[in-house]
Structure formats: structure tokens, C-alpha cells
Amino acid sequence: MFRFKTVSSILFSVAAILVFFVFILHILAPSYQSPNNIVTHSSKRLNRIHFPRLGWVKDKTTSVFIPAESSRQMTEPLINCRENLVTIEQYRSRSVVRGVIVRFPSLKSDYYFVQFRWFYRSWIESEMFTLDRWRTDIIIIIDDKFPNTIRKLLEHLDCHIENQRVSRRQISRCILINHKLFSQQSKTQQQFYIDKYSIFNRVNELDDNIDRLFSIYDYINQLNKTQTNFYDFLMITTMNTFLTTQFGKYIPIKCSFLLGTAPDYSTFYGKSNQISQFIHILLYTLKESNGTQRNLSIDFSSTIEKLKTKFLFLEGQVDISCDSKKTTYRTSIYHLKCYAHSTSLFSERMFREKAYDGYEKEPFNIYIAREYATLMALQSKVMSLDDLHILAVNVTRREVYT
Ligand SMILES: *[C@@H]1O[C@H](CO)[C@@H](O)[C@H](O)[C@H]1NC(C)=O
Ligand SMILES: *[C@@H]1O[C@H](CO)[C@@H](O)[C@H](O)[C@H]1NC(C)=O
Ligand SMILES: *[C@@H]1O[C@H](CO)[C@@H](O)[C@H](O)[C@H]1NC(C)=O
Ligand SMILES: *[C@@H]1O[C@H](CO)[C@@H](O)[C@H](O)[C@H]1NC(C)=O
């Protein structure tokens, strides 16, 4: 009897220790897919205990786990954010409408169409991993000089001007927006912006990068005017990029605003009103880069400085290099970008030189950034536009919800 009691009490103690251990592990383990919870929420709870956040990458050479380069936080987490309490899990059961805006240049459009195909293919992939009530539109801004041949190809992928969203429920879609360059706009339209941004008055033609920002801002303004701004979140980016599978399941929460790579920050991702404010300040703080010459330059650093009490600026989550060996599995990597100089997998240059031809049947791992990029690019090349379109139709189809 006595013995039985001892044994059972030992067993009980062991069980208690195990439960305690599991509890401690539960607290310390980085929570899945919600990096911002970890940055702000948990650190509050644990009072500045530092623990590994974001993903871990297996380093093949040493077979030791090393932490993935954590995203760089550019501002204090002590920003005033009204939405601090809404978690990513809550968003996942809600309706969310996102737009990914790219500007498709009229010059060298054949060249850019190659990028567009893989970008479109990656959008389909991210749609495979997204949530029932989430929608993500690709919004392509073109101008009056856009070549008809490329436009026909885009229409083949069901990217149309008529596709503009008219309700939140419509399935994810690809939308063409015809936007006039600043120099091609009517005098009254120009005056509207000159009154707002007096520096516009001093240039005849805006620099390409500034015109891109201007057209995006003007587009958001028009959505506002016609009360058709259904977009909760917007990503502004270029086409030499890939949306990852994680992008399908993630939106920036708690006032976070994701920035791509300095100094040109060609990608940024946040709530629509944040995007609007950000571009407004970018246009407002345009600088004359040279006293004598009439050149304007974009001043990201003072814009970031001005907004740092309202936005939680985060780097290292979008514009991850497409030759990176980082994992995108349960990490906060939402978007990859190809840099022109790279020659290691995935290299845009080598892809164009056909160096990867015939490798599309390789067992690429979609959770490794560089392999994912390679697979998406190769598939976008070997698939016909019809097949790409059919795949998009299949994947974006959703059950009707109430
Ligand atoms: C559009 O509307 C939002 C919300 O009312 C506002 O924050 C934003 O500044 C507006 N954007 C433009 C470009 O007018
Ligand atoms: C102004 O222009 C000159 C000549 O083009 C250039 O050398 C100089 O770096 C420019 N200054 C700035 C501040 O951009
Ligand atoms: C100013 O703009 C002109 C024309 O766009 C360009 O050729 C020149 O290099 C620019 N100068 C500077 C200093 O950026
Ligand atoms: C699209 O869906 C149909 C019917 O579900 C299926 O037969 C077809 O193979 C799918 N096509 C692609 C490209 O996935």
C-alpha cells in the first residue's frame, strides 16, 4: 500500500513537472505567423525577455540552426495605435480586401512582361494559401502610350479595365488602370495637384519614380472620390517580385507598415489610409536635388521620420532577395524581389539567358525563397497564357459566403 502510494506520488510529481515544462515552453515558443504579436504583444507580457522571434533557417553547411535575420524595426513599438487589440487570427475570420499595385512601364514592355508573368504566377500561388474571406487584386497602372500588343496579352490573363471591383465579395481579380502621366493631364487636373504640391509647378515632366507615386496617389484619390475604395490594405511594388505563400495569410497588423529595401523603397505595404498618407508626405516633401537644376528627388527618410509616431515601420519582410536561402515557412517573409546584379539562383539575368530551362520538373521546395522564385518563374514561362489564366480561375474561385 505504502509502496503504491510512493509510486503514484512520484508519477504525479513527474506529471506535474512535465505540465509545468510544457507551459514554460508554450510561453517561450515564438507563436506561429504573427510576428507582430511577438514584437509588441508578447514582449509586453514578458517584460522585455528576449527570445528568438521569426523563423529559423537550417544552415546546410554546419547543420546548426541559426536564426533567420530578424526583421529590422525602425521605430519604437510605443506608437499610438488604435488597432492594437485586433490579432491576425481575428482578421483571418473577417473579410479582408487587398490590392497589390504595380506600374507597368510603356517602354520596354516586352521585357517587363516576362516579370509580370512570374509575378502573376506567384499571385496565384499566394491565393492557394489564402483565407476564404480574403481577396487580393492585382492592380496594374498603365499610361496612354502603353502598347496594344502587351495589353492584349494582359487581357488574355483576364486583366481588364472593366474588372474594377464593385463589391467586397467579388473574387480576387486583375485590374488594369489607365492613368495619364502628370504631363498628359489636363490643366485643371494639373492645377489641383500644383495647389497641393507647389513643387510640381517647377517641373515640366516628373521623373519616372515620382510619376509612379503620383499616379498611385491619384488612383487612390479617385477611388475615394467615387466611394469605391474597397481596399483595406495596399501593397505598392514593382514586377520583378514574387508574392510568397505567407503573403496569402498575412496582413500588417497593429499599425505596422512594411518597407522594402532602402534607399529606394520600391515596395511598401500597409493599410490603405497609411499608404495614402505615406505617399502624400512623399510628394509633399519632394526635394530639389540640385539647386540649379530642376530635378526632384524623393525623400524617404524625412517621410519616415514624420510618420514614426503613427506607423510601426518594419523592414526585412518584403523585398527579400530572390536568391536568398531563407525559408518562407512560418516566417515573416511575404514578398521577394530580384536584384539585377545577382548571378546566383534565382537570378533574373540567368533566367533570361535560359540557364534554367528544362529544370521546371525539379522538386523545388516552395518554402525556400530562391527555389520558390525559380519554380514560379519557370512555370510562368512554360505555361501558356491560357493555362495560367485557367489556373488563376480555379484558384481564385471561392464558395459564396454570407
Ligand atoms: C482616401 O480616404 C482615406 C480615408 O478617408 C484618407 O485617409 C486618405 O487620405 C484618402 N486618400 C486620398 C488620396 O485622398
Ligand atoms: C548637382 O549636380 C551636379 C552635376 O550634375 C552633381 O555633381 C552634384 O552631385 C549634384 N548635387 C546634388 C546634391 O545632387
Ligand atoms: C536632372 O534631370 C535630367 C533630365 O531628367 C538628367 O539628365 C540629369 O542627370 C539630372 N541631374 C541630376 C543632378 O540628377
Ligand atoms: C481547373 O478545375 C477543373 C475542374 O475542377 C479541373 O478539371 C482542371 O484540371 C483545373 N485546371 C487547372 C489548370 O488546375
Side-chain angles (χ1 to χ4, degrees):
M1 200 62 190
F2 176 74
R3 236 181 233 164
F4 176 71
K5 258 190 179 165
T6 318
V7 170
S8 65
S9 72
I10 287 172
L11 278 178
F12 182 78
S13 315
V14 168
I17 290 167
L18 274 176
V19 166
F20 178 72
F21 208 71
V22 167
F23 175 72
I24 292 290
L25 275 178
H26 174 77
I27 287 186
L28 290 180
S31 68
Y32 169 46
Q33 285 170 1
S34 39
N36 295 305
N37 285 351
I38 298 163
V39 175
T40 50
H41 200 73
S42 325
S43 53
K44 230 182 282 156
R45 189 153 45 104
L46 291 174
N47 249 325
R48 288 171 195 279
I49 292 177
H50 289 281
F51 51 86
R53 66 185 158 102
L54 310 177
W56 293 73
V57 179
K58 191 154 193 273
D59 184 68
K60 280 185 189 130
T61 51
T62 57
S63 72
V64 164
F65 281 91
I66 49 156
E69 190 187 308
S70 52
S71 63
R72 192 140 63 88
Q73 196 170 312
M74 299 176 68
T75 47
E76 309 277 295
L78 301 165
I79 54 159
N80 215 345
C81 182
R82 261 186 279 157
E83 287 131 30
N84 253 336
L85 294 175
V86 190
T87 64
I88 190 79
E89 285 74 22
Q90 285 168 319
Y91 272 118
R92 285 185 179 144
S93 58
R94 295 182 183 179
S95 149
V96 167
V97 184
R98 304 186 285 185
V100 182
I101 305 182
V102 294
R103 216 264 295 255
F104 203 132
S106 295
L107 283 177
K108 294 212 294 177
S109 49
D110 287 325
Y111 178 92
Y112 288 112
F113 190 67
V114 172
Q115 295 177 350
F116 181 77
R117 279 175 90 125
W118 82 48
F119 172 72
Y120 184 91
R121 177 65 189 84
S122 77
W123 167 67
I124 297 173
E125 197 70 15
S126 73
E127 280 284 293
M128 286 183 194
F129 287 80
T130 199
L131 295 124
D132 282 350
R133 293 189 169 200
W134 287 22
R135 302 288 184 267
T136 305
D137 296 348
I138 297 185
I139 300 164
I140 309 167
I141 298 186
I142 56 173
D143 64 44
D144 286 347
K145 295 180 185 147
F146 196 72
N148 243 324
T149 47
I150 304 294
R151 185 166 168 161
K152 287 259 151 38
L153 297 179
L154 288 174
E155 287 175 351
H156 216 96
L157 291 172
D158 200 18
C159 302
H160 291 278
I161 293 197
E162 298 75 29
N163 274 0
Q164 301 234 21
R165 182 168 285 280
V166 295
S167 86
R168 296 181 61 86
R169 282 194 192 188
Q170 288 178 304
I171 56 167
S172 303
R173 55 203 40 237
C174 179
I175 304 166
L176 283 183
I177 302 293
N178 201 347
H179 188 270
K180 285 184 161 63
L181 298 174
F182 184 72
S183 55
Q184 293 167 1
Q185 299 226 340
S186 72
K187 281 278 171 275
T188 32
Q189 282 165 322
Q190 284 188 0
Q191 198 55 46
F192 175 79
Y193 283 106
I194 289 173
D195 291 345
K196 219 168 164 180
Y197 309 110
S198 57
I199 206 159
F200 276 22
N201 208 8
R202 305 202 216 146
V203 287
N204 300 324
E205 225 166 276
L206 294 179
D207 166 90
D208 209 46
N209 278 326
I210 298 172
D211 223 339
R212 168 175 176 258
L213 285 179
F214 165 74
S215 60
I216 293 164
Y217 188 75
D218 198 33
Y219 166 66
I220 301 173
N221 205 5
Q222 267 153 33
L223 288 180
N224 274 4
K225 258 195 235 157
T226 53
Q227 316 242 307
T228 49
N229 196 351
F230 298 107
Y231 298 104
D232 306 307
F233 294 85
L234 289 172
M235 175 187 270
I236 312 300
T237 189
T238 51
M239 294 183 293
N240 53 346
T241 62
F242 300 83
L243 300 170
T244 65
T245 56
Q246 276 293 69
F247 175 81
K249 303 184 249 191
Y250 177 84
I251 45 171
I253 56 170
K254 301 178 187 198
C255 298
S256 57
F257 189 89
L258 311 192
L259 280 174
T261 313
D264 5 279
Y265 297 112
S266 56
T267 303
F268 36 93
Y269 181 26
K271 294 201 83 156
S272 285
N273 56 356
Q274 287 180 314
I275 296 289
S276 192
Q277 281 181 67
F278 190 73
I279 302 182
H280 165 68
I281 296 183
L282 285 176
L283 294 175
Y284 198 74
T285 53
L286 284 175
K287 278 204 304 219
E288 278 173 311
S289 53
N290 233 307
T292 50
Q293 278 163 318
R294 300 189 154 186
N295 287 18
L296 300 182
S297 69
I298 301 171
D299 183 0
F300 281 101
S301 53
S302 53
T303 302
I304 290 167
E305 185 64 28
K306 277 200 171 68
L307 289 170
K308 73 175 186 193
T309 55
K310 290 203 247 168
F311 297 8
L312 177 64
F313 286 106
L314 296 171
E315 278 191 29
Q317 305 190 355
V318 295
D319 274 359
I320 301 301
S321 175
C322 73
D323 63 4
S324 165
K325 291 179 191 166
K326 286 181 188 166
T327 176
T328 60
Y329 184 64
R330 298 185 173 188
T331 56
S332 44
I333 292 181
Y334 308 112
H335 173 267
L336 316 177
K337 171 171 173 161
C338 294
Y339 295 93
H341 49 82
S342 172
T343 53
S344 62
L345 189 76
F346 171 78
S347 151
E348 179 175 359
R349 196 192 321 166
M350 295 184 63
F351 174 72
R352 287 184 188 273
E353 286 167 3
K354 305 183 168 52
Y356 306 135
D357 280 11
Y359 284 90
E360 62 276 359
K361 299 234 160 59
E362 288 286 299
F364 288 112
N365 180 344
I366 62 165
Y367 295 114
I368 304 291
R370 60 195 288 176
E371 296 188 31
Y372 176 74
T374 314
L375 183 66
M376 292 298 107
L378 282 169
Q379 284 196 354
S380 76
K381 181 176 175 176
V382 297
M383 286 174 81
S384 67
L385 292 186
D386 274 331
D387 286 346
L388 270 174
H389 176 227
I390 293 167
L391 187 61
V393 170
N394 274 11
V395 169
T396 54
R397 185 184 295 141
R398 300 277 205 290
E399 299 299 319
V400 176
Y401 68 87
T402 49

